[in-house]
């Protein structure tokens, strides 16, 4: 699909974006461009729930690889989000665990949790945790630490906080209304088809391909028990 889009640049292409962090994306990008963090060096992302704790529950569609492929929980969603904000992931090392390998006679081949150590093209190191077996937990949260400050983003509430060196503590940061980005997927795509020169809807196939490279690399890392380099 990416190759076909490159051969036909006059045609409109688009992948459906995740809503996670969409409200604050433009503001995050503005803060990063203004060097709020300085040089980003450490990222932590946690996407935790107890959705898969019940051993008697039927397999969710996300646990069926014939439906969801290699994706695990919200790995692909947040790989797309963090790469949109901080650039490409170039290396991963992953471990996984499954506590309920059979559900109503169906063999589960997608893990209940996965932990991913990752490195970004800009040199930042990160750890991303995804779990469906976290008791009393239901949260999606990002923390990023840099040479000049830190930022947090709660994806459930679209609330932000941050602080810079020299300040006493991190404080809430309000997303300016004029920078809020809303779900306009169908509207943007139709507008681009009607007037291709006026708007380039996102994500592009190139971004979608990079998303899939990360998902594939995580699966390869688990299978091989080694770090995987991702070509950009």
């Amino acid at each position: 699909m990416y190759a076909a889009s490159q051969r036909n640049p006059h045609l409109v292409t688009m992948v459906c974006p995740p809503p996670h962090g969409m409200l604050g994306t433009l503001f995050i990008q503005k803060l990063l461009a203004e060097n709020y963090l300085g040089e980003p060096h450490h990222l932590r992302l946690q996407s935790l729930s107890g959705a898969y704790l019940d051993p008697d529950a039927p397999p969710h569609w996300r646990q069926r690889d014939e439906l969801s492929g290699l994706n695990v929980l919200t790995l692909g969603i947040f790989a797309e989000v963090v790469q949109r904000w901080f650039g490409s992931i170039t290396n991963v090392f992953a471990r996984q665990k499954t506590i309920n390998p059979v559900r109503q006679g169906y063999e589960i081949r997608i893990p209940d949790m996965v932990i991913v150590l990752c490195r970004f093209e800009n040199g930042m190191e990160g750890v991303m945790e995804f779990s469906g077996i976290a008791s009393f937990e239901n949260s999606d949260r990002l923390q990023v630490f840099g040479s000049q400050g830190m930022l947090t983003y709660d994806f459930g509430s679209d609330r932000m906080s941050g602080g810079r060196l020299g300040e006493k503590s991190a404080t809430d940061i309000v997303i300016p209304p004029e920078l809020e980005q809303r779900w306009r997927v169908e509207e943007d795509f139709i507008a681009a088809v009607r007037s291709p020169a006026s708007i380039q809807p996102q994500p592009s196939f190139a971004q979608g391909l990079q998303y899939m490279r990360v998902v594939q690399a995580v699966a390869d890392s688990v299978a091989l028990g080694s770090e995987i380099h991702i070509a950009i």
Side-chain angles (χ1 to χ4, degrees), residues 25-219:
T25 286
L26 294 179
F27 186 43
I28 287 282
Q29 292 171 332
K30 180 177 185 291
L31 291 176
L32 294 174
E34 293 172 348
N35 211 35
Y36 184 92
L37 290 175
E39 181 179 349
H41 55 69
H42 181 192
L43 175 146
R44 295 181 64 212
L45 186 142
Q46 292 180 311
S47 180
L48 310 176
S49 80
Y52 300 160
L53 281 170
D54 182 1
D56 298 321
H60 188 271
W61 68 265
R62 287 188 180 276
Q63 295 177 299
R64 303 177 68 104
D65 56 0
E66 73 272 21
L67 299 177
S68 60
L70 295 174
N71 220 334
V72 179
L73 296 155
T74 53
L75 165 64
I77 290 170
F78 284 113
E80 180 178 332
V81 172
V82 298
Q83 288 186 113
R84 182 178 299 124
W85 292 356
F86 302 105
S88 297
I89 294 172
T90 61
N91 294 73
V92 299
F93 181 81
R95 299 288 297 271
Q96 69 179 35
K97 184 179 183 67
T98 302
I99 64 168
N100 296 307
V102 178
R103 290 183 177 274
Q104 299 185 2
Y106 179 89
E107 180 186 354
I108 301 293
R109 291 178 291 274
I110 296 177
D112 292 330
M113 63 168 287
V114 63
I115 299 173
V116 183
L117 299 177
C118 55
R119 179 179 302 124
F120 289 75
E121 187 178 20
N122 63 10
M124 180 170 63
E125 301 284 347
V127 57
M128 301 190 293
E129 300 177 60
F130 305 91
S131 177
I133 51 174
S135 304
F136 306 106
E137 188 60 65
N138 185 21
S139 61
D140 297 304
R141 186 168 182 261
L142 172 74
Q143 294 175 288
V144 186
F145 305 91
S147 60
Q148 296 299 318
M150 64 83 67
L151 284 170
T152 68
Y153 196 104
D154 186 303
F155 293 95
S157 63
D158 284 305
R159 296 185 64 178
M160 293 178 56
S161 63
R164 306 201 73 204
L165 294 186
E167 298 174 351
K168 290 184 178 181
S169 63
T171 57
D172 290 342
I173 300 176
V174 177
I175 301 171
E178 66 272 17
L179 293 180
E180 290 182 354
Q181 193 174 28
R182 302 289 178 174
W183 184 268
R184 294 163 43 98
V185 179
E186 297 88 353
E187 183 178 346
D188 285 349
F189 185 76
I190 292 170
V193 171
R194 288 174 170 168
S195 181
S198 65
I199 183 173
Q200 294 298 317
Q202 300 293 324
S204 65
F205 281 177
Q207 291 168 306
L209 182 59
Q210 188 63 17
Y211 163 123
M212 291 306 302
R213 284 173 173 155
V214 173
V215 171
Q216 181 70 58
V218 168

